[in-house]
Amino acid sequence: VHPVDTITTVDTVYIFENPAAPIIETSVSPVICNGTVIELMTNYTESLQWYFDDELIVDANQSTLEVSAAGTYRVEYFDENGCQSSSAPFLLEIIPLPELPAFVNSNNLLTLFDQSILPNDFALQWYQDGMLLEGETDFSYCISEFATYTLEVVDLTTGCANRFSSTVPYNSAVDCTTSTEE
């Protein structure tokens, strides 16, 4: 014989309001050039969890998050009662960089190796040891000393830039400022 036990109990269920959804903000456009790192910020300072393409980002419970990958980001906030709210998705898009503007050295004349890789609307700029060479925006540049030279290409449509650098030896026996035909 198994006696039936009847248990009567009374309890209270508390229902709390959901906290306001966190807001994701950034100081730049959500469309960035490849390789750029931006900071996402939210209006809450603690009890946060960030997600990237619905995958939990481990150890990301601060109010800011540095990101550089294309995809969808969101953040969840948990209040002191354990109630949760989630932000609207934040879509980050990545624009590809222009092709690397490699150049060759021929008798102290640095020349862009392949002009066909350039975007339709572009700007070029030469640098020597990291310093801007004023007015040097052509496909070639005549060097006058041993240094590290850089050629930068900017896609004027997207604003994205790419750079190629090389340490170039200087041959003092050759003057590239004089045309070979002369």
Side-chain angles (χ1 to χ4, degrees):
V1 175
H2 298 285
V4 176
D5 291 332
T6 303
I7 299 173
T8 305
T9 185
V10 176
D11 202 351
T12 305
V13 175
Y14 295 97
I15 300 176
F16 300 100
E17 287 189 37
N18 281 337
I23 299 169
I24 297 177
E25 299 174 326
T26 184
S27 59
V28 296
S29 166
V31 179
I32 61 172
C33 299
N34 190 19
T36 303
V37 176
I38 66 167
E39 186 176 71
L40 301 180
M41 300 163 278
T42 186
N43 51 331
Y44 289 105
T45 58
E46 56 187 25
S47 303
L48 299 167
Q49 186 55 65
W50 289 88
Y51 292 84
F52 171 64
D53 288 339
D54 288 327
E55 294 289 325
L56 178 69
I57 301 174
V58 179
D59 296 331
N61 60 358
Q62 64 274 10
S63 63
T64 60
L65 181 69
E66 288 187 348
V67 299
S68 61
T72 303
Y73 294 86
R74 69 180 174 86
V75 63
E76 289 183 350
Y77 167 71
F78 298 89
D79 70 8
E80 64 278 355
N81 300 313
C83 297
Q84 174 264 339
S85 62
S86 185
S87 70
F90 181 90
L91 179 63
L92 182 63
E93 296 181 49
I94 305 290
I95 300 170
L97 299 179
E99 294 290 327
L100 195 65
F103 56 82
V104 294
N105 179 12
S106 176
N107 295 325
N108 296 333
L109 184 65
L110 306 181
T111 305
L112 178 66
F113 181 71
D114 184 4
Q115 293 180 17
S116 69
I117 65 164
L118 296 174
N120 291 333
D121 195 14
F122 66 91
L124 294 174
Q125 179 62 58
W126 289 94
Y127 296 82
Q128 179 181 336
D129 292 329
M131 301 297 293
L132 177 82
L133 294 169
E134 290 287 333
E136 298 300 335
T137 58
D138 292 329
F139 296 110
S140 57
Y141 175 69
C142 181
I143 66 171
S144 59
E145 62 184 305
F146 177 89
T148 299
Y149 292 91
T150 302
L151 178 58
E152 178 183 62
V153 60
V154 177
D155 184 334
L156 297 176
T157 304
T158 65
C160 294
N162 207 351
R163 291 175 163 211
F164 176 78
S165 294
S166 181
T167 301
V168 180
Y170 173 69
N171 182 352
S172 59
V174 177
D175 181 9
C176 61
T177 60
T178 305
S179 169
T180 56
E181 294 175 5
E182 293 177 10

